[in-house]
Amino acid sequence: MITMTRSFPAPRSLLLGTGGYVPEQVVTNGDLERLVETSDAWIQERTGIRERRKASDQEAASDMATAAARKALEMAGISASELSMIIVGTISADQPLPACAVHVQRNLGVTSIPAFDIAAACAGFLYGMSIADQFVARGQAKYVLVIGVELLTRLMNWNDRTTCVLFGDGAGAVVIGPNAEAKDRTARGILSTCLFSDGSQADALCIPAGGSREPLTTEGIEQRRNKVHMEGREIFKNAVRNLVSSSINALEQAGVSAGEITWVVAHQANLRILAQVAQRLEVPMDKFILNIERYGNTSSASIPLALDEGVRDGRIKPGDLLLMTALGAGLSWGSAVVRY
Ligand code: ACO
């Protein structure tokens, strides 16, 4: 486990700008009824999802990431040339090699700064934000671009109703920079982050083939072993338990109580998971920024997309206390407390 908290006085990292991007094409539950044996009623009741977005054939993950990044930079009032680092959380990069982040870097016309990917699935954005926080708060980086992007519709087995109804495409980004004037815990910025993984659960959610363990073969492709496989019920149980415990951890590290939280910006995998998390943390559901109904599970893009929506529609205001929490393949999970 890694937990990071600030002692004061110390510089603090601040979210300076947010951006989001979703592809135009909408895939409804009705569309999926024509593909697999499922129903709009089952999907809505079991997951809370009505529709999701699907990237066009011309789009790659870095295109979506770049679109979100440009909006975040614009809101932050920072030009790409001022960035010190680019971190991309993704498991659906343009190519196995090189990183999605270097394609974003090229798209933004930046050179000579580190740009790298984090493969922590749905927790990828929180992992990236935590790393950015360490660099910025210590003065080793000034402005860091953190992106969560997934083009999961390309990684689906469209014959598998247990996965293909869940996931969607999208990207979200934040620009993180220093708040040198942070004097105490009421100042804006990242108050705490905590990260966890449990590799004993690695097989519960994976893409079995296409790596060094099981190189891709014709048989592997026929058996869809290059697509997402998930033991959903097992993940569900782990998700509720770990999202709650890491949230409590992050709240304790930040020195705040769940009752003080203004908004929960959680990874959106399943509305029932979030309802159970809300109940256990004793935070009402109307404090959750939700978009699962429209976007499904966008993995690492989920938190920054929801954050961007909340900021742009005016629900999230400067000074609001945010709890972020996510769990995904690995299993990898984490939480953060941020005074926006
Ligand atoms: N339509 C209709 N029926 C379905 C569908 C579907 N799309 N999918 C499954 N079913 C059936 C199953 O076959 C099963 O039928 P059976 O009882 O005859 O065997 C029945 O519905 C119940 O299946 P469960 O798996 O028990 O359904 P559950 O209520 O658990 O919902 C779900 C499944 C939505 C996958 C849920 O378990 C879940 O959300 N899990 C967590 C997902 C998650 O958090 N993933 C991590 C993040 S993703 C990442 O890291 C990339």
Side-chain angles (χ1 to χ4, degrees):
M1 174 188 84
I2 298 236
T3 59
M4 284 305 305
T5 186
R6 295 275 101 76
S7 49
F8 289 91
R12 187 182 288 174
S13 322
L14 195 60
L15 305 190
L16 296 172
T18 65
Y21 172 83
V22 287
E24 266 175 38
Q25 190 187 343
V26 175
V27 178
T28 65
N29 292 345
D31 295 331
L32 295 175
E33 284 176 350
R34 291 187 277 280
L35 270 187
V36 286
E37 200 184 323
T38 191
S39 67
D40 177 42
W42 190 96
I43 300 172
Q44 282 202 49
E45 189 195 318
R46 306 308 292 169
T47 71
I49 302 167
R50 276 174 192 269
E51 58 189 43
R52 68 289 292 144
R53 298 299 179 97
K54 186 169 186 286
S56 73
D57 292 345
Q58 288 72 42
E59 276 178 312
S62 68
D63 300 321
M64 301 197 296
T66 306
R70 288 193 202 284
K71 292 181 189 165
L73 286 163
E74 192 186 355
M75 187 190 287
I78 303 294
S79 77
S81 61
E82 294 175 88
L83 289 171
S84 314
M85 184 180 287
I86 299 172
I87 307 174
V88 176
T90 190
I91 48 135
S92 49
D94 300 27
Q95 304 163 292
L97 183 79
C100 185
V102 300
H103 290 294
V104 175
Q105 184 186 32
R106 179 168 59 184
N107 291 346
L108 294 176
V110 195
T111 52
S112 302
I113 59 165
F116 56 93
D117 290 359
I118 303 282
C122 307
F125 173 77
L126 283 185
Y127 270 60
M129 193 178 84
S130 180
I131 293 167
D133 178 37
Q134 313 315 314
F135 277 94
V136 173
R138 273 161 187 69
Q140 291 180 337
K142 189 162 185 193
Y143 300 121
V144 180
L145 177 62
V146 183
I147 302 169
V149 61
E150 301 295 358
L151 207 162
L152 294 169
T153 57
R154 298 239 166 94
L155 299 180
M156 286 301 114
N157 172 358
W158 290 101
N159 298 321
D160 177 8
R161 68 176 183 172
T162 69
T163 52
C164 76
V165 303
L166 303 175
F167 295 96
D169 301 334
V174 298
V175 175
I176 293 177
N179 180 4
E181 284 156 26
K183 300 245 178 333
D184 58 37
R185 290 185 182 283
T186 60
R188 296 174 63 203
I190 298 172
L191 296 183
S192 67
T193 63
C194 53
L195 307 175
F196 308 81
S197 290
D198 175 7
S200 71
Q201 305 277 333
D203 297 336
L205 177 49
C206 65
I207 296 176
S212 57
R213 173 75 58 199
E214 186 181 329
L216 209 49
T217 59
T218 312
E219 288 87 349
I221 293 173
E222 278 165 10
Q223 292 164 16
R224 310 280 200 274
R225 291 184 62 75
N226 56 336
K227 304 295 179 185
V228 168
H229 289 237
M230 182 170 78
E231 293 165 27
R233 221 173 296 185
E234 215 30 55
I235 304 260
F236 192 113
K237 280 187 277 178
N238 280 288
V240 175
R241 192 173 55 238
N242 292 329
L243 291 172
V244 170
S245 62
S246 65
S247 293
I248 290 170
N249 201 308
L251 289 166
E252 282 173 2
Q253 298 292 328
V256 298
S257 69
E260 292 174 72
I261 293 297
T262 326
W263 294 107
V264 181
V265 190
H267 168 52
Q268 330 241 332
N270 188 316
L271 200 54
R272 288 185 299 135
I273 292 177
L274 296 183
Q276 291 192 23
V277 169
Q279 193 183 21
R280 291 189 195 189
L281 289 178
E282 296 183 14
V283 176
M285 273 307 269
D286 61 11
K287 287 196 171 188
F288 282 63
I289 305 273
L290 298 173
N291 60 18
I292 186 167
E293 192 184 21
R294 285 171 289 127
Y295 300 146
N297 180 346
T298 57
S299 191
S300 63
S302 171
I303 287 180
L305 257 178
L307 176 70
D308 183 56
E309 287 194 348
V311 167
R312 285 180 193 268
D313 68 20
R315 277 177 292 173
I316 298 175
K317 298 181 184 65
D320 282 357
L321 201 58
L322 311 181
L323 171 66
M324 301 179 181
T325 185
L327 175 140
L331 300 179
S332 292
W333 67 98
S335 295
V337 175
V338 177
R339 193 171 294 284
Y340 179 72

